[in-house]
């Protein structure tokens, strides 16, 4: 197969609810979608870089630059059959995993469509177990104005059927919050995500969280650290989960060897694509470490892809893959993802490839710019 044309769509979409983390408040989401055309098929990928280098050094600007000048010219018009061929063509490019993952996702979508199978089935080829048809999901709640607001939001999500609640924390928005939540909701499956807001000197405070029986503490320390997380893990009982710190399969291996975490959050954009995601999944599986699929406030394109990935066997913990309505009034895909309230899951599309159809009318509505590259 040959990719004849790649189009980048830079979009600006309003979020239904503002989302606040330790690195700031987001009320809108700029998104970059990539469409690759080959043999009459169109494969889609979402680049999860944001407009500021806060979660990662990548931005929509750097991703567009790297895609336009290096990634797209490395694959456009070249013959390829398998994902490995795409990886070989771009492996000379260092870093920029989010830009790479968008291209890789579109290639997977093309391969799955050309074989007439869903992305989940394609990704699950190496495993004995087939992919699941629905994926357990939880909800990630940003920093709220008050503790009472947080309690109200948790109550609301529980009544919708979510059974795992993740709260964003940061210094001075931690112990009192979690204590209050546990008083009202003593039994719920609860976890926290600090997005690197603490340092090792906060160990005594973090240790106090042990009392609240959290499912895990996600990324308390620096975004590029593994060593100090391993020191922290030895001082506390609650499992640590690494997000930002795991950017490659090698780093996942080092983290497990150092007991720096007992759970890993896999985001395909952070690690360079589904291929690398699967490598981390396999490594964790061999070591008895559970993984789950993280989220980056994706549109329906990235959401469908995350659902397919999360259907693999070692994704045993609920993913941050919310239903469409949690993020968007109008999504860029026709299909709406809804929560199955009886088991806190979302059903994975069954159609070939990603299994969703992008609405060009909605793309137009949110479009900031469009760039097309042809052979
Ligand atoms: O750390 O997991 C994170 C959103 C943007 C950037 C980083 C993170 C998040 C989330 C949201 O937690 C998860 C979602 O998409 O619902
Ligand atoms: Mg996180």
């Amino acid at each position: 197969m040959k990719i004849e044309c790649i189009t980048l769509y830079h979009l600006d979409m309003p979020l239904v609810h503002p989302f606040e983390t330790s690195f700031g408040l987001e009320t809108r989401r700029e998104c970059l979608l990539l469409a690759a055309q080959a043999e009459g098929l169109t494969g889609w990928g979402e680049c999860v870089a944001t407009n500021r280098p806060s979660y990662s050094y990548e931005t929509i600007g750097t991703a567009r630059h790297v895609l336009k000048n290096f990634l797209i010219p490395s694959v456009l018009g070249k013959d390829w059959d398998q994902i490995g061929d795409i990886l070989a063509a771009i492996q000379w490019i260092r870093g920029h995993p989010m830009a790479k993952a968008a291209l890789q996702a579109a290639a997977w979508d093309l391969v799955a469509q050309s074989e007439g199978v869903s992305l989940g089935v394609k990704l699950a080829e190496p495993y004995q177990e087939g992919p699941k048809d629905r994926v357990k999901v939880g909800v990630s709640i940003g920093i709220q104005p008050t503790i009472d607001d947080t309690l109200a939001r948790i109550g609301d999500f529980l009544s919708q059927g979510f059974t795992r609640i993740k709260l964003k924390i940061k210094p001075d928005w931690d112990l009192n919050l979690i204590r209050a939540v546990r008083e009202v909701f003593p039994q719920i499956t609860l976890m926290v995500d600090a997005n690197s807001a603490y340092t090792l000197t906060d160990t005594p405070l973090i240790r106090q969280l042990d009392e609240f029986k959290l499912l895990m503490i996600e990324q308390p320390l620096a975004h590029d650290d593994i060593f100090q997380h391993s020191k922290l893990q030895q001082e506390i009982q609650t499992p640590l989960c690494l997000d930002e710190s795991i950017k490659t399969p090698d780093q996942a291996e080092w983290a497990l060897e150092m007991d720096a975490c007992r759970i890993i959050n896999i985001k395909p954009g952070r690690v360079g694509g589904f291929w690398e995601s699967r490598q981390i999944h396999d490594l964790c599986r061999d070591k008895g470490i559970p993984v789950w699929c993280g989220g980056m406030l994706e549109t329906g394109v990235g959401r469908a892809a995350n659902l397919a990935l999360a259907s693999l066997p070692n994704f045993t913990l609920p993913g941050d893959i919310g239903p469409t309505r949690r993020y968007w009034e109008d999504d860029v895909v026709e299909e709406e993802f809804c929560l199955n309230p009886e088991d806190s899951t979302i059903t994975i599309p069954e159609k070939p490839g990603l299994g969703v159809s992008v609405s060009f009318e909605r793309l137009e509505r949110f479009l900031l710019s469009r760039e097309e590259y042809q052979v």
Side-chain angles (χ1 to χ4, degrees), residues 55 166 168 193 195 218-219 243-244 265 267 292 320:
Y55 171 83
K166 160 167 148 182
K168 293 288 185 177
D193 184 0
N195 288 110
E218 187 178 342
Q219 196 69 36
D243 173 353
E244 284 90 326
N265 161 336
K267 293 178 182 172
W292 56 281
D320 274 348

Side-chain angles (χ1 to χ4, degrees), residues 68-88:
K68 172 183 176 184
N69 293 294
F70 309 112
L71 285 165
I72 293 175
S74 297
V75 300
L76 203 62
K78 310 267 165 68
D79 253 321
W80 65 286
D81 296 312
Q82 300 163 7
I83 295 300
D85 302 331
I86 296 282
L87 295 180

Side-chain angles (χ1 to χ4, degrees), residues 22-59:
S22 58
F23 34 67
L25 180 78
E26 287 190 68
T27 57
R28 317 182 61 74
R29 182 90 165 88
E30 280 185 42
C31 313
L32 192 62
L33 297 185
L34 182 153
Q37 281 163 267
E39 296 177 355
L41 302 171
T42 304
W44 287 91
E46 176 162 348
C47 176
V48 295
T50 51
N51 51 355
R52 298 176 341 125
S54 50
Y55 171 83
S56 130
Y57 66 82
E58 288 184 272
T59 64

Side-chain angles (χ1 to χ4, degrees), residues 228-281:
Q228 294 194 330
H229 278 98
S230 104
K231 290 193 160 179
L232 176 61
Q233 181 69 87
Q234 311 320 305
E235 300 293 324
I236 64 171
Q237 268 152 25
T238 312
L240 290 180
C241 168
L242 291 180
D243 173 353
E244 284 90 326
S245 291
I246 306 298
K247 294 175 172 92
T248 64
D250 275 344
Q251 290 173 354
E253 193 171 346
W254 306 336
L256 298 191
E257 199 152 322
M258 290 163 68
D259 191 25
C261 63
R262 296 181 182 156
I263 297 172
I264 290 182
N265 161 336
I266 298 182
K267 293 178 182 172
R270 193 190 69 228
V271 303
F274 300 133
W275 185 271
E276 294 78 359
S277 298
R278 221 166 52 177
Q279 286 180 312
I280 295 173
H281 164 276

